[in-house]
Amino acid sequence: MSEATKKYSDKMSGAVDHLVKELKAVRAGRANPAVLDKVTVDYYGSSTPIQQVAAVAVAEARVLTIQPWDASLLHAIEKAIQCSDVGINPIDDGRMIRLVFPAPTEERRKALTKDVQKMGEEAKVAVRNVRRDAMDKFKAQKKANEITEDDQKNLEDEMQKVTDKFVKEVDKVCEEKIKEIMEI
């Protein structure tokens, strides 16, 4: 890979990494601590992620436990989860909070699948935008006589191959998530 396409490849890789991170927060019916990544609790006046004030663990396939290090935070964590878009009612037993993930209905699975496909399409658009920027840069370099027409053609071909690779990677990531969602 040439130096010219390397930086664009890194940008495309960033788009795929972002997609993977976003897909972790999609609830597929099994307990996943990543669903709490965006939930924050008021801890002595500052908004703090739950993972920084409590031990979050997967107790069973569909049960997530949250045990705060400071027992006085139990009620605040419960309130934060209820106010968030997690969509699960927390169960407080006085020492820890349990989140029981229900198995999604067939209708919910189909809706989640559509969401995943939409996220995948957005990631592909981001990858293609990076390719467009690269192609424009190569054309500008050719116009300024910084590179030859053959160099421009080679760089464009190389950029297209890199783009195709990342589009396939996005498809693969989305397929795996959809498979996970559709499992019973």
Side-chain angles (χ1 to χ4, degrees), residues 1-10 158 162 165-166:
M1 182 180 307
S2 70
E3 192 62 41
T5 57
K6 175 80 172 103
K7 85 173 180 184
Y8 295 108
S9 176
D10 292 344
E158 189 176 337
V162 170
K165 180 185 105 177
F166 281 105

Side-chain angles (χ1 to χ4, degrees), residues 91-105:
I91 302 165
D92 180 359
D93 69 2
R95 288 184 348 204
M96 70 171 62
I97 296 172
R98 283 186 172 71
L99 294 178
V100 180
F101 289 74
T105 62

Side-chain angles (χ1 to χ4, degrees), residues 57-145:
V58 179
E60 298 171 31
R62 290 206 159 103
V63 179
L64 202 61
T65 60
I66 304 162
Q67 188 158 15
W69 294 306
D70 181 356
S72 65
L73 282 175
L74 206 58
H75 186 66
I77 291 173
E78 182 179 8
K79 196 69 119 180
I81 293 170
Q82 287 172 338
C83 293
S84 72
D85 63 350
V86 173
I88 298 175
N89 235 358
I91 302 165
D92 180 359
D93 69 2
R95 288 184 348 204
M96 70 171 62
I97 296 172
R98 283 186 172 71
L99 294 178
V100 180
F101 289 74
T105 62
E106 189 66 27
E107 188 177 299
R108 177 76 178 133
R109 289 175 202 259
K110 288 179 181 173
L112 286 172
T113 299
K114 285 182 182 175
D115 290 346
V116 167
Q117 289 170 336
K118 184 176 177 232
M119 288 177 189
E121 199 52 48
E122 289 169 0
K124 287 182 194 176
V125 167
V127 166
R128 291 182 188 125
N129 285 342
V130 172
R131 178 194 59 196
R132 187 194 64 231
D133 292 346
M135 298 297 193
D136 291 347
K137 176 115 164 92
F138 301 151
K139 285 177 186 162
Q141 286 177 331
K142 164 65 178 99
K143 193 172 185 180
N145 289 326

